[in-house]
Amino acid sequence: WLKARPSVRATVIPPTVLSDLPCPALPRRRQADAMSHRKFERPRHGSLGFLPRKRTKHHHGKIKSFPKDDASKPPHLTAFMSYKAGMTHIVRDVDRPGSKLHKKEVAEAVSVVEAPPMVVVGFVGYVETPRGLRALTTVWAGHLSEEVKRRFYKAWHKSKQKAFMKYHKRWSEASKASESPMAAEIERAKKYCQVIRAICHTQVSKVKIGQKKAHIKEIQVNGGTTAAKVDF
């Protein structure tokens, strides 16, 4: 090859010169090995605790815990159910000493909540055990509206609509006999129970959201003695 191309000369480079030459860039695989862990170079975005990110099956929240009971206060309910109607914004003064926004106006987003009166249709008495609360007795009202009866059926128009018929019959017979309906269960709750929770439902027909089935929740009654909670 050198004989065919006499103008090309072979050059011998000494080893000391080779070490001073610039080193070519490392291949991509070698560069990836030189990086630190991915969680430092590109941490993930968002919490995994909110997975799966999809629309919920039930839009009413779950009460995880109720406020601590204080027997010195009068009996009172500890929660209330309402419906979100929309959102708007307000301008308010910030009362936060030490902040740059202290005593200044800020615009904040707020939710508009519609809260029609709730209806109490009974109560559940719980006994405290080493494994948590255990339901001892349940007392329902003598009359339940159609809104709350719809909650016990999948398809109201196809059903016989006989929920609580026998219970109402027992209630009416006891009231005709000049007896206090469900007196034995009420006294049992006053004697043995430590926690009383009221069974409440919303009046969904007053909200005008196109729904006829009421939402039911147990709401704890705090304050006073057990007997005072049951009477409340």
Side-chain angles (χ1 to χ4, degrees):
W1 182 70
L2 291 175
K3 291 179 180 178
R5 302 281 303 275
S7 60
V8 178
R9 294 182 181 180
T11 307
V12 179
I13 303 174
T16 55
V17 179
L18 284 173
S19 61
D20 297 336
L21 291 175
C23 181
L26 291 172
R28 293 185 63 85
R29 187 174 297 174
R30 293 288 303 280
Q31 286 181 354
D33 295 340
M35 288 174 59
S36 62
H37 198 273
R38 177 191 177 277
K39 67 180 180 180
F40 300 115
E41 299 297 332
R42 185 191 175 277
R44 67 159 288 103
H45 309 295
S47 172
L48 294 173
F50 294 98
L51 293 180
R53 292 183 179 274
K54 62 180 182 180
R55 188 173 293 276
T56 180
K57 292 181 181 178
H58 47 82
H59 295 273
H60 54 277
K62 182 179 179 181
I63 303 174
K64 300 293 182 67
S65 62
F66 290 96
K68 193 174 181 180
D69 194 3
D70 187 3
S72 61
K73 296 181 180 179
H76 59 279
L77 293 174
T78 55
F80 197 88
M81 285 186 285
S82 57
Y83 296 90
K84 182 176 177 179
M87 293 192 72
T88 183
H89 65 276
I90 60 168
V91 178
R92 71 177 184 92
D93 292 330
V94 178
D95 186 14
R96 196 179 303 154
S99 172
K100 293 182 179 179
L101 297 175
H102 184 51
K103 293 186 178 180
K104 291 184 179 180
E105 289 187 346
V106 293
E108 289 185 346
V110 293
S111 295
V112 180
V113 177
E114 189 171 354
M118 288 193 308
V119 179
V120 180
V121 291
F123 71 87
V124 183
Y126 290 90
V127 179
E128 292 179 351
T129 67
R131 294 184 297 275
L133 296 177
R134 180 176 67 86
L136 181 69
T137 182
T138 304
V139 178
W140 290 86
H143 173 73
L144 298 181
S145 64
E146 184 184 306
E147 289 178 328
V148 68
K149 284 183 182 179
R150 283 175 177 269
R151 177 55 60 183
F152 304 117
Y153 290 96
K154 180 76 173 178
W156 173 257
H157 62 284
K158 294 180 182 178
S159 64
K160 295 182 179 179
Q161 305 175 7
K162 289 189 175 182
F164 285 86
M165 291 292 287
K166 293 181 180 179
Y167 194 90
H168 294 168
K169 188 177 179 181
R170 285 172 52 197
W171 189 279
S172 60
E173 288 175 356
S175 57
K176 286 179 182 177
S178 67
E179 298 178 4
S180 177
M182 306 302 292
E185 295 297 325
I186 294 174
E187 290 301 322
R188 190 164 171 238
K190 289 182 179 180
K191 186 176 181 180
Y192 297 108
C193 294
Q194 287 87 34
V195 177
I196 301 295
R197 292 180 179 175
I199 303 172
C200 306
H201 76 85
T202 59
Q203 300 186 64
V204 73
S205 60
K206 296 186 177 181
V207 185
K208 307 298 182 186
I209 60 174
Q211 184 174 331
K212 300 178 182 178
K213 193 180 292 187
H215 296 91
I216 306 176
K217 284 283 183 191
E218 283 187 15
I219 297 176
Q220 187 164 306
V221 180
N222 281 0
T225 61
T226 304
K229 292 174 184 176
V230 173
D231 295 335
F232 173 77

